Amino acid sequence: MAAMGAPPGMGQVMVLNTKTQRQTGREAQLGNIRAATAVANIIRTTLGPQSMLKMLLDPMGGIVMTNDGNCILREVDVSHPTAKSMIELSRAQDEEVGDGTTSVIVLSAQVLAQAEPFLLNKYHPTVIVQAYTKALAAGLKICEDLAIEVDVKSDNEMISKLVLSSIGTKFSSRWNDILVDMAIQAVTTVTQTTLGGMPSVDIKRYAKVEKIPGGELDDACVMKGVMFQKDTTHSKMRRRIENPRILLLDSPLEYKKGESQTTMEITEEQDWNAMLKLEEEYVENMCMQIIEHKPDVVITEKGVSDLAQHFLQKANITAFRRLRKTDNNRVAKAVGATIVSRTDEIQESDIGTDCGLFEMRKLGDDWFCFLEECKDPKACTIVLRGGSKDVLNEIERNLQDAMQVVRNVIYNPRLLPGGGATEMALAVALRKQGQALQGIQQGPFMAVGDAMEVIPRTLAQNCGVSVIRTITALRAKHATDTKCHVGINGITGKLVDMNELGIWEPFSVKVQTIKTAIENACMILRIDDIVSGSKSAN
């Protein structure tokens, strides 16, 4: 120890636990960059219309077949902390804008990889991070200039092109026309206007996807109303009603049980009969309060006792019990009803009259309740039919992406050219701006521009064309024209003007991708110490 510069007679001092693994300085930074690149390489081939599918086996033996970036990374089990944070990135992108989950990982890994030569040349990470932040601000400004406005209400053709360019990269591109119409129809159905006059779109809550194996995908549709998998509580109840009056409850139609355990001692026989009679009268009273308002269909989230079924069936009322809260909310939105908590508080205004047809239908082995032909429904059910469960799951994921794209445009009606055109325009513009910068930050600033080229390059790779020729030609086109919309045709690999091909992407998705990728790269570059095994699990 004395030879190593410690005072003589001093032993080695251990601060950390001996089992702790620790990476510091350059070693940690370069390790992080390698981990990020490894994650990006998993999903690099799933970008663009000529993308490959990945087949993943989960621990339970189930299979997932998909080319959705977020879905693949969700199933992959990684141990490196940086790789985990990259996977989190794709999840955040999916929750925020619902599309661009593959691009964000590929771009972030490339931005990190561009920092490697600077780190090896002894650049300080904060210098690189400052340059990256400047490049991000400049990039967002360029996106603003490139964007075009679109009128959501009247320009249906543009929105169809937009959804097509999102679904075109997915497995379900064979059924593009059906899915595009379904996505637009579902989102416009559930779009509401808030008190401030802003549009509000809640796809998760009000657009439910019902996957029913069997049949053809051509049978899939967006219902003008809702459906749920339930059968009537009594076999004699009506199974088809036109213009039904629908009452929704979230209280049980059975005798109320005590909250705590109750014991009663009965000495006289007639007291027992009186008690049973009281229970029956309580249930009968509740049913009479319902029957007074003459509903045709009663749906409750809780139970319906046999006695209540008898009274309702006698009054020619169809009853459903134990419907999920979320389904009940959707029914309320579709038929214009209000969910009532107590039977003695029912008013005429609570009853839904907007439904045109109630019908029970059997699909496969199960009975489904259809509430169709609703007037101006604010909720809908999307029925998907298909050969196998795997196909249905993948189509559902693709449809969710398409619906998110429409939602993004309703919130922010601006578009950017797709096919790598925006990224190449950014790359050329950032390199041009970088030349005007002075000092040490010039290199990392221009490196962000180089990193942007990874998207058109990956598209060209996945098409199987000569990458160097294609990218050089694309770069030359963008260098001569600042407002150039030329990108790569993802199917043939040729250079095309995106206005002619009609490939557009929502402004919010593209901007979110760039922001997330660069900010995440900045955060990972700042890490200079990785300590693993810091706490033992007791």
Side-chain angles (χ1 to χ4, degrees):
M1 282 300 285
M4 289 174 70
M10 291 274 288
Q12 193 173 1
V13 180
M14 288 301 224
V15 179
L16 292 170
N17 188 335
T18 47
K19 286 183 184 159
T20 303
Q21 291 179 329
R22 187 176 178 191
Q23 285 182 318
T24 53
R26 290 280 176 272
E27 185 194 354
Q29 284 155 353
L30 297 175
N32 286 344
I33 291 172
R34 277 193 287 277
T37 315
V39 171
N41 286 340
I42 298 173
I43 60 169
R44 199 181 291 276
T45 55
T46 65
L47 190 76
Q50 298 285 41
S51 57
M52 297 292 171
L53 288 175
K54 305 281 180 195
M55 183 188 258
L56 302 157
L57 289 162
D58 63 16
M60 306 298 289
I63 302 172
V64 179
M65 287 188 289
T66 180
N67 65 355
D68 182 53
N70 175 46
C71 187
I72 295 166
L73 295 178
R74 206 172 49 206
E75 297 292 335
V76 173
D77 187 20
V78 294
S79 56
H80 196 286
T82 307
K84 280 187 175 146
S85 93
M86 291 288 285
I87 289 170
E88 201 59 36
L89 203 63
S90 118
R91 207 190 76 190
Q93 177 83 2
D94 192 57
E95 283 174 8
E96 188 63 32
V97 287
D99 199 15
T101 48
T102 309
S103 315
V104 76
I105 297 286
V106 172
L107 189 58
S108 188
Q110 190 64 27
V111 173
L112 278 170
Q114 291 288 347
E116 191 170 351
F118 299 113
L119 290 172
L120 293 171
N121 286 337
K122 304 283 187 287
Y123 271 59
H124 196 280
T126 48
V127 173
I128 302 173
V129 167
Q130 281 167 357
Y132 276 9
T133 314
K134 275 186 187 170
L136 173 60
L140 294 179
K141 198 169 179 318
I142 298 160
C143 286
E144 294 274 351
D145 298 340
L146 269 176
I148 62 160
E149 293 275 338
V150 61
D151 185 358
V152 182
K153 290 188 173 66
S154 61
D155 201 347
N156 279 345
E157 190 189 340
M158 202 64 169
I159 292 176
S160 299
K161 284 180 181 173
L162 181 72
V163 181
L164 261 174
S165 53
S166 166
I167 297 186
T169 64
K170 307 280 194 258
F171 161 76
S172 59
S173 49
R174 283 173 48 200
W175 301 285
N176 271 353
D177 301 340
I178 304 173
L179 287 181
V180 168
D181 293 341
M182 282 167 64
I184 295 172
Q185 197 183 332
V187 176
T188 42
T189 302
V190 300
T191 303
Q192 294 171 313
T193 310
T194 56
L195 295 173
M198 292 295 291
S200 148
V201 185
D202 194 340
I203 298 169
K204 201 171 179 183
R205 201 176 298 170
Y206 297 129
K208 170 85 185 289
V209 178
E210 279 283 356
K211 297 171 295 200
I212 305 167
E216 276 282 312
L217 192 78
D218 299 338
D219 306 338
C221 64
V222 175
M223 288 175 52
K224 207 171 175 201
V226 288
M227 66 175 269
F228 50 85
Q229 187 186 338
K230 277 271 180 274
D231 199 358
T232 52
T233 50
H234 196 289
S235 55
K236 291 267 169 59
M237 289 174 173
R238 288 188 288 173
R239 303 181 89 75
R240 180 189 158 93
I241 306 169
E242 286 183 14
N243 299 321
R245 290 164 57 81
I246 298 172
L247 175 64
L248 304 179
L249 299 170
D250 70 350
S251 61
L253 297 182
E254 52 197 359
Y255 186 68
K256 203 172 185 181
K257 299 172 184 69
E259 288 291 323
S260 50
Q261 195 176 355
T262 341
T263 46
M264 295 172 73
E265 280 191 25
I266 296 168
T267 47
E268 301 290 327
E269 190 184 337
Q270 58 266 34
D271 291 351
W272 170 246
N273 290 333
M275 199 178 76
L276 288 178
K277 201 165 178 52
L278 278 173
E279 284 193 13
E280 284 185 12
E281 279 171 4
Y282 176 79
V283 174
E284 185 179 5
N285 189 25
M286 280 166 68
C287 291
M288 289 310 149
Q289 286 167 348
I290 290 171
I291 293 164
E292 238 174 75
H293 291 273
K294 300 190 176 63
D296 296 308
V297 179
V298 172
I299 302 174
T300 176
E301 292 169 28
K302 307 287 194 305
V304 177
S305 68
D306 293 349
L307 189 63
Q309 286 174 31
H310 164 74
F311 285 125
L312 294 174
Q313 193 258 322
K314 267 175 70 177
N316 212 3
I317 294 172
T318 304
F320 293 90
R321 64 178 165 199
R322 305 202 197 289
L323 186 69
R324 279 201 210 97
K325 180 93 188 153
T326 48
D327 286 339
N328 211 9
N329 287 338
R330 263 192 297 280
V331 174
K333 281 276 182 195
V335 303
T338 312
I339 299 173
V340 186
S341 298
R342 292 170 58 116
T343 51
D344 52 0
E345 289 177 359
I346 302 171
Q347 297 172 340
E348 181 56 37
S349 57
D350 297 331
I351 291 180
T353 53
D354 290 351
C355 177
L357 174 68
F358 152 77
E359 192 173 15
M360 297 297 301
R361 290 181 205 152
K362 196 171 187 183
L363 298 174
D365 292 340
D366 301 306
W367 281 97
F368 288 84
C369 165
F370 284 79
L371 298 168
E372 292 180 304
E373 297 168 24
C374 298
K375 300 183 199 96
D376 190 28
K378 285 291 165 224
C380 64
T381 300
I382 302 158
V383 183
L384 289 183
R385 306 298 308 268
S388 74
K389 212 163 64 184
D390 295 325
V391 172
L392 280 174
N393 286 338
E394 179 63 359
I395 289 169
E396 184 194 9
R397 280 190 286 269
N398 300 163
L399 187 64
Q400 290 289 359
D401 278 4
M403 290 197 294
Q404 298 279 20
V405 166
V406 183
R407 187 198 68 172
N408 292 332
V409 179
I410 288 174
Y411 282 150
N412 186 350
R414 285 187 293 173
L415 310 181
L416 283 168
T422 307
E423 284 83 357
M424 190 48 98
L426 279 169
V428 171
L430 286 176
R431 272 199 291 267
K432 201 175 275 180
Q433 286 186 26
Q435 284 160 0
L437 272 184
Q438 298 298 319
I440 196 168
Q441 287 187 2
Q442 184 185 32
F445 185 95
M446 291 167 78
V448 176
D450 295 340
M452 288 292 168
E453 287 186 3
V454 73
I455 302 287
R457 190 164 66 241
T458 309
L459 276 174
Q461 267 171 0
N462 291 348
C463 291
V465 292
S466 165
V467 177
I468 297 171
R469 273 188 197 154
T470 311
I471 295 299
T472 313
L474 186 60
R475 201 180 293 141
K477 276 206 173 8
H478 279 271
T480 51
D481 179 9
T482 49
K483 281 274 178 96
C484 182
H485 285 178
V486 175
I488 294 173
N489 180 337
I491 298 165
T492 60
K494 292 192 171 73
L495 299 188
V496 235
D497 189 330
M498 289 297 142
N499 288 328
E500 292 165 22
L501 198 62
I503 300 288
W504 295 94
E505 293 187 37
F507 179 81
S508 49
V509 172
K510 198 57 102 183
V511 166
Q512 182 71 23
T513 306
I514 296 165
K515 273 187 199 166
T516 315
I518 295 180
E519 282 168 8
N520 177 63
C522 293
M523 189 179 73
I524 289 175
L525 282 174
R526 279 210 167 115
I527 297 168
D528 72 339
D529 203 337
I530 300 172
V531 183
S532 52
S534 48
K535 281 273 196 295
S536 61
N538 291 328

